[in-house]
Amino acid sequence: MPMPDLPKDLSALSLSEIAELARDRRLPPVESWSPERIGQSNMRIARDGSWYHEGGLIQRETMVRLFSSILQREADGRYWLVTPVEKLEIAVDDTPFVAVEVKSEGVGQDRQLAFRLNTGDLVLAGPNHRLLFAEADGAPRPLIHVRGGMDARIARAAYYALVEWALEEAATPLGLWSGGVFFAMEPA
């Protein structure tokens, strides 16, 4: 079954269209599979979200999207590519996803934030996809929860847009609403 094309740019879509695309995305039930064959994938996801196999960059976006759909994180923090017949460990330098674009509609408690990931997936911030404003080495490390213990690091341009909107609203503490949840932009 071919994977549907996902948008390259959120600006042309309404938030209801984004929500529909996100809702329609069907992922394989990796959490229900228990393959007997376990090994190494010789794959790595770099900090910038690039995927590598045996040191070579995977350039086909459809392959990255496919692999990202079978990605799973276990309680011990390790990442795996899971199919019904095998489970292969994959190295992840930082987070497995990067939120490369953000779109906002509404203001205050009516605001909704939608993110496009480097894999083309769409995530709407809210109760099931929480924003976290952490710090690492004294620098901001904004994240959004994607699924199953996996987060996306929010890219710099998207983070700056979030900060600009938060400063315009001037909430105390500084932060933004999305999906009926207030996300304080203080390090956790």
Side-chain angles (χ1 to χ4, degrees):
M1 162 157 68
M3 296 185 78
D5 289 334
L6 292 174
K8 298 277 188 203
D9 180 7
L10 294 182
S11 64
L13 299 174
S14 71
L15 219 33
S16 61
E17 290 170 320
I18 293 169
E20 186 177 333
L21 285 169
R23 194 174 37 254
D24 289 347
R25 174 86 157 115
R26 303 281 186 252
L27 295 171
V30 296
E31 64 283 345
S32 68
W33 294 337
S34 299
E36 292 184 21
R37 191 173 2 170
I38 296 175
Q40 292 292 322
S41 68
N42 296 319
M43 293 176 67
R44 177 177 71 90
I45 304 172
R47 186 179 190 284
D48 69 357
S50 299
W51 288 59
Y52 292 86
H53 181 254
E54 296 181 348
L57 178 65
I58 300 174
Q59 296 185 21
R60 291 182 54 201
E61 288 180 32
T62 54
M63 291 301 294
V64 170
R65 285 187 51 219
L66 173 65
F67 288 136
S68 72
S69 73
I70 60 170
L71 187 64
Q72 180 181 43
R73 185 177 187 193
E74 292 194 348
D76 64 6
R78 293 189 297 170
Y79 294 89
W80 299 86
L81 297 172
V82 183
T83 72
V85 296
E86 66 184 347
K87 179 176 173 179
L88 302 174
E89 190 169 12
I90 180 171
V92 177
D93 291 354
D94 184 25
T95 60
F97 305 102
V98 179
V100 295
E101 185 180 4
V102 62
K103 180 172 182 162
S104 173
E105 283 188 9
V107 294
Q109 293 183 358
D110 295 326
R111 183 183 299 275
Q112 180 65 64
L113 298 167
F115 293 85
R116 183 175 56 84
L117 306 184
N118 61 310
T119 56
D121 292 304
L122 303 171
V123 178
L124 279 71
N128 297 324
H129 301 284
R130 301 189 70 78
L131 292 171
L132 174 65
F133 295 93
E135 278 190 10
D137 300 321
R141 187 169 187 268
L143 303 168
I144 183 166
H145 177 70
V146 176
R147 67 176 184 271
M150 295 184 288
D151 297 323
R153 184 177 44 79
I154 299 173
R156 184 173 290 153
Y159 172 64
Y160 287 161
L162 295 174
V163 170
E164 183 178 324
W165 295 324
L167 289 171
E168 287 172 3
E169 289 196 3
T172 303
L174 187 67
L176 289 169
W177 287 87
S178 184
V181 178
F182 183 77
F183 299 103
M185 295 179 94
E186 300 172 336

